[in-house]
């Protein structure tokens, strides 16, 4: 059973000057699933996510990824292990083309150098792999557009492409549908579903329709602690979850 768990925490918590943002969270993410982390505003989702991706150090508890304790590791070192985060605010180079953005991510996967000094001929060798990723996220017709020209939803798709270029075993998505219209939500939901076919995904997401349609398992946080866990049908009917959302509001 331990082999089925790719990411787990025990007693994970974080305090800020006497305020407990995350209490003592025990979390188990099964390999090859889509796992959602949800909760009302102020539940501690973002803090928990930052702890898991090592952008914050925990005040207590432990984090284990693929059987390895990563509690005290740096974000870049964790990413090299195959645990890669895609940011809530689109993290792409606005004045580079879609192709150039993905190609840079592929260069990063190859090593520490972005190879800016290399000839165009050498860099063009990455174009085949880059175009494959671009086609996967539905941006083939936009390959020569700069990122700044793309709609918000397509920028997020590009961001997922650059994340996939790092060939992660597990992707952590921070509100992947935030700010999107209905068409972009549908398009990127399909993209996430395809990306999950051969990897694990943990996401923080406010759109409960997306959570319901995509997630295998849902962990509900409230006041920095795990309130409930299960599939959508189970947690949506839990009286504690209903009370937490109605009482705290939901954005």
């Amino acid at each position: 059973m331990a082999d089925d768990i790719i990411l787990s925490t025990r007693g994970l918590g974080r305090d800020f000057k006497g305020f407990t943002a995350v209490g003592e969270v025990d979390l188990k993410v099964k390999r090859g699933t889509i796992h959602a982390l949800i909760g009302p505003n102020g539940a501690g989702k973002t803090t928990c996510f930052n702890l898991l991706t090592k952008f914050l150090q925990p005040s207590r508890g432990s984090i284990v990824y693929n059987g390895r304790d990563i509690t005290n590791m740096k974000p870049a070192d964790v990413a090299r292990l195959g645990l890669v985060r895609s940011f809530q605010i689109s993290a792409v180079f606005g004045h580079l083309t879609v192709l150039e953005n993905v190609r840079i991510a592929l260069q990063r996967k190859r090593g520490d150098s972005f190879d800016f000094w290399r000839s165009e001929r050498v860099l063009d060798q990455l174009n085949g792999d880059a175009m494959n990723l671009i086609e996967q996220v539905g941006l083939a017709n936009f390959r020569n557009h700069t990122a700044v020209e793309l709609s918000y939803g397509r920028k997020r798709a590009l961001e997922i492409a650059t994340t996939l270029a790092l060939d992660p075993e597990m992707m952590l998505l921070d509100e992947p549908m935030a700010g999107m219209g209905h068409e972009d939500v549908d398009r990127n939901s399909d993209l996430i579903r395809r990306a999950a076919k051969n990897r694990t995904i943990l996401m923080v997401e406010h759109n409960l329709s997306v959570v319901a349609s995509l997630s295998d398992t849902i962990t509900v946080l409230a006041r920095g602690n795990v309130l409930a866990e299960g599939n959508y049908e189970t947690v949506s009917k839990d009286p504690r979850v209903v009370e937490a959302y109605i009482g705290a509001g939901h954005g």
Side-chain angles (χ1 to χ4, degrees), residues 5-35:
I5 304 301
I6 188 170
L7 180 71
S8 65
T9 69
R10 177 169 293 184
L12 187 65
R14 172 72 188 206
D15 301 325
F16 293 97
K17 297 182 179 179
F19 169 71
T20 298
V22 174
E24 293 189 2
V25 170
D26 293 339
L27 181 69
K28 290 184 177 180
V29 179
K30 291 183 179 179
R31 192 181 308 275
T33 65
I34 300 179
H35 194 124

Side-chain angles (χ1 to χ4, degrees), residues 2-244:
D3 289 342
D4 291 337
I5 304 301
I6 188 170
L7 180 71
S8 65
T9 69
R10 177 169 293 184
L12 187 65
R14 172 72 188 206
D15 301 325
F16 293 97
K17 297 182 179 179
F19 169 71
T20 298
V22 174
E24 293 189 2
V25 170
D26 293 339
L27 181 69
K28 290 184 177 180
V29 179
K30 291 183 179 179
R31 192 181 308 275
T33 65
I34 300 179
H35 194 124
L37 193 62
I38 71 170
N41 293 332
K45 303 183 299 296
T46 298
T47 301
C48 188
F49 205 72
N50 286 334
L51 292 170
L52 293 173
T53 54
K54 305 318 318 300
F55 285 82
L56 279 177
Q57 279 297 111
S59 302
R60 60 194 157 273
S62 61
I63 308 168
V64 174
Y65 172 69
N66 259 339
R68 180 170 180 172
D69 191 318
I70 63 168
T71 309
N72 296 312
M73 293 182 67
K74 296 179 180 179
D77 294 330
V78 170
R80 291 188 187 98
L81 296 178
L83 182 66
V84 178
R85 174 178 182 170
S86 182
F87 284 87
Q88 180 179 356
I89 299 173
S90 187
V92 296
F93 296 99
H95 295 289
L96 294 182
T97 66
V98 167
L99 177 61
E100 289 167 338
N101 268 283
V102 177
R103 194 168 65 180
I104 283 177
L106 287 168
Q107 290 172 238
R108 183 65 185 87
K109 173 64 179 175
R110 289 173 52 211
D112 293 328
S113 171
F114 285 121
D115 293 347
F116 289 122
W117 56 273
R118 287 179 178 260
S119 70
E120 190 70 16
R121 180 185 60 80
V122 172
L123 297 182
D124 282 346
Q125 294 174 6
L126 298 173
N127 284 352
D129 288 340
M131 279 306 304
N132 183 46
L133 287 166
I134 290 167
E135 289 168 3
Q136 286 182 41
V137 301
L139 292 178
N141 292 335
F142 300 89
R143 61 187 178 276
N144 294 320
H145 288 61
T146 59
V148 75
E149 295 178 85
L150 301 177
S151 69
Y152 181 74
R154 289 195 169 96
K155 283 180 184 176
R156 299 309 302 270
L158 173 57
E159 181 187 340
I160 290 177
T162 60
T163 305
L164 290 173
L166 299 176
D167 195 23
E169 184 174 4
M170 182 171 182
M171 292 175 63
L172 297 106
L173 306 179
D174 191 0
E175 298 189 25
M177 307 301 171
M180 289 187 188
H182 181 73
E183 182 180 346
D184 283 334
V185 166
D186 289 345
R187 183 187 301 117
N188 284 310
S189 291
D190 289 340
L191 170 57
I192 290 171
R193 192 176 287 108
R194 293 197 304 272
K197 287 183 178 179
N198 58 351
R199 57 181 54 85
T200 306
I201 292 178
L202 176 66
M203 65 178 181
V204 170
E205 179 53 54
H206 278 293
N207 188 322
L208 294 184
S209 296
V210 170
V211 170
S213 67
L214 287 180
S215 304
D216 299 298
T217 305
I218 300 165
T219 299
V220 184
L221 293 183
R223 299 184 179 90
N225 292 285
V226 175
L227 184 64
E229 189 169 271
N231 59 27
Y232 185 79
E233 183 178 3
T234 299
V235 301
S236 64
K237 294 178 180 178
D238 190 313
R240 298 169 300 168
V241 175
V242 175
E243 181 181 0

